[in-house]
Amino acid sequence: MRALLPRLPLIALPLALFLAFFHASVLDVGNAGWLIRGTDNGENALGLHAWLHDPAPGLLETQLLNAPDGVPLLFTDSNPLVSALAFPLRGILPADAQFVGPWLLLCLFLQVWFAWRLLRGHAPGPVALWCGVLLLASLPTLFNRYIHANLTAHWLILWALARFLDPVRARPNSGWAVLIALTAMIHSYLLVMVGAIWASAMLARMAGETGAQRARTLAEGAAMLAMVVWIAWMLGVFMPHAAAGNYGVFAMPLDALWNPGTPVFSAFLPATAQPLGRGFEGFQYLGLGVLIALPLAAVLIWRMRGKAAAEIADLHRLIWLAPALIVLTLLAIGHAPSFAGRQLFVLPLPQQVVDALR
């Protein structure tokens, strides 16, 4: 029992966070009423409902929506992974089964678990460890995504970072294949981020390899990409569909990390609205606590230089993430950067590029 006490927060913390933000009734699989509010998580449940009740369902596709052509579950904002797991149980599930609430709780458990796995080898003591876990499990960038429930799977990013920081576990692609396959089955946005971390791990691996070894790494990378293409085909990505046409609409402002964007998202820092015609989802704002922690972390890193060789080695390894982070940041900012509610300029892009980014 004494050995289990240090790990009790792995159960208590996600439960406490869940009950602080959600009512326990959303965990009832038969309670679909809380999702009837015209938002993305309502569409999530509707897509799954249609597939489970379709008399002739396709492969992660239903004919009961978008008749007569039907629609892949991916385009209904449903969770393909959860749907595939629920399908064999359709005979015993409630008529209006929903898994959005249970999914949110599962994501919090996994967020805490992978935050703990990521930090346990670096924290100087249990207090620092659980403060770090709490920080990673209670970010505004996580909880503001509950409307689009699939995107609360930030634990996939923590899982990828934990693999990346371990040079031994980061080398073989077998573990990465499991992670990337799961991510592809959950959401493409997260796939881009996890894929960027994986690509950074492969770059770091190739830096220490010879010509033949690099050829093998490239071949493994090609096989990973082929797997993603196959999953995309299975999810219906290559079926004819109209482009969303919204590239840049939800772009990240240059001041997004400290600008809450709307007053209800912050009790401390002032909010500046997006430029006219730009949507706001509010998932970039870090929160006052993290903004205070960042300069403190920089000071601590500066003070420990030359003292903690293992930590410095981790920081050096993180440099391999720089190219991926630059690409992801530019993609998030888009071709029309804005700052403090004003659009700065528009970078003209070929229409083919704009269509691809949509």
Side-chain angles (χ1 to χ4, degrees):
M1 178 63 70
R2 184 173 297 177
L4 293 176
L5 286 177
R7 298 192 179 186
L8 280 180
L10 292 173
I11 298 174
L13 182 55
L15 284 174
L17 288 171
F18 182 85
L19 293 175
F21 284 87
F22 306 103
H23 195 281
S25 64
V26 305
L27 295 176
D28 180 0
V29 175
N31 176 21
W34 74 283
L35 298 169
I36 304 175
R37 50 184 295 181
T39 56
D40 289 344
N41 51 22
E43 295 183 12
N44 182 311
L46 178 62
L48 173 61
H49 177 86
W51 193 50
L52 294 180
H53 292 272
D54 195 327
L59 178 62
L60 293 171
E61 177 186 353
T62 177
Q63 301 297 317
L64 296 184
L65 299 174
N66 194 40
D69 300 319
V71 62
L73 293 188
L74 181 71
F75 296 148
T76 68
D77 278 337
S78 292
N79 189 317
L81 178 63
V82 172
S83 300
L85 294 174
F87 191 78
L89 305 174
R90 63 191 182 281
I92 61 174
L93 289 173
D96 295 325
Q98 63 85 25
F99 290 93
V100 176
W103 168 256
L104 293 172
L105 179 59
L106 175 63
C107 283
L108 282 175
F109 269 102
L110 292 173
Q111 184 78 8
V112 168
W113 167 259
F114 282 108
W116 176 73
R117 290 287 301 270
L118 178 65
L119 299 177
R120 64 178 177 172
H122 305 277
V127 174
L129 171 62
W130 289 109
C131 284
V133 171
L134 177 61
L135 193 65
L136 289 176
S138 56
L139 291 169
T141 48
L142 170 63
F143 278 92
N144 199 54
R145 302 309 299 152
Y146 83 95
I147 291 295
H148 197 148
N150 298 356
L151 292 176
T152 58
H154 286 197
W155 50 272
L156 293 164
I157 302 172
L158 298 183
W159 184 357
L161 288 173
R163 287 195 65 85
F164 175 85
L165 281 175
D166 187 334
V168 176
R169 293 177 63 229
R171 288 187 62 82
N173 271 307
S174 54
W176 284 111
V178 174
L179 172 55
I180 289 178
L182 286 175
T183 308
M185 289 289 291
I186 293 172
H187 204 281
S188 57
Y189 293 177
L190 295 167
L191 177 62
V192 171
M193 290 180 265
V194 170
I197 298 172
W198 163 74
S200 299
M202 293 302 102
L203 284 175
R205 169 178 159 177
M206 290 176 63
E209 293 181 331
T210 62
Q213 293 170 325
R214 289 181 180 178
R216 176 178 176 176
T217 300
L218 289 172
E220 290 179 3
M224 292 279 281
L225 294 177
M227 177 192 70
V228 172
V229 171
W230 175 74
I231 294 175
W233 170 83
M234 183 176 62
L235 295 175
V237 171
F238 302 116
M239 293 179 60
H241 59 273
N246 57 6
Y247 174 64
V249 173
F250 300 104
M252 172 182 172
L254 298 180
D255 60 339
L257 300 184
W258 61 88
N259 177 10
T262 180
V264 299
F265 286 158
S266 175
F268 304 101
L269 298 181
T272 303
Q274 288 271 52
L276 185 65
R278 295 278 287 270
F280 180 76
E281 293 193 337
F283 58 88
Q284 299 112 345
Y285 170 56
L286 292 179
L288 183 61
V290 176
L291 291 173
I292 293 173
L294 287 175
L296 292 178
V299 171
L300 290 175
I301 290 172
W302 180 79
R303 291 185 62 182
M304 77 176 188
R305 67 192 190 284
K307 298 180 180 179
E311 299 300 323
I312 296 300
D314 283 339
L315 292 174
H316 288 166
R317 182 166 177 80
L318 287 172
I319 294 174
W320 285 102
L321 286 176
L325 294 179
I326 291 172
V327 171
L328 290 175
T329 301
L330 292 176
L331 185 63
I333 292 172
H335 66 309
S338 66
F339 182 85
R342 295 185 179 182
Q343 183 172 292
L344 302 180
F345 60 86
V346 177
L347 178 67
L349 293 176
Q351 190 59 42
Q352 295 88 340
V353 174
V354 174
D355 291 341
L357 291 171
R358 287 172 179 169

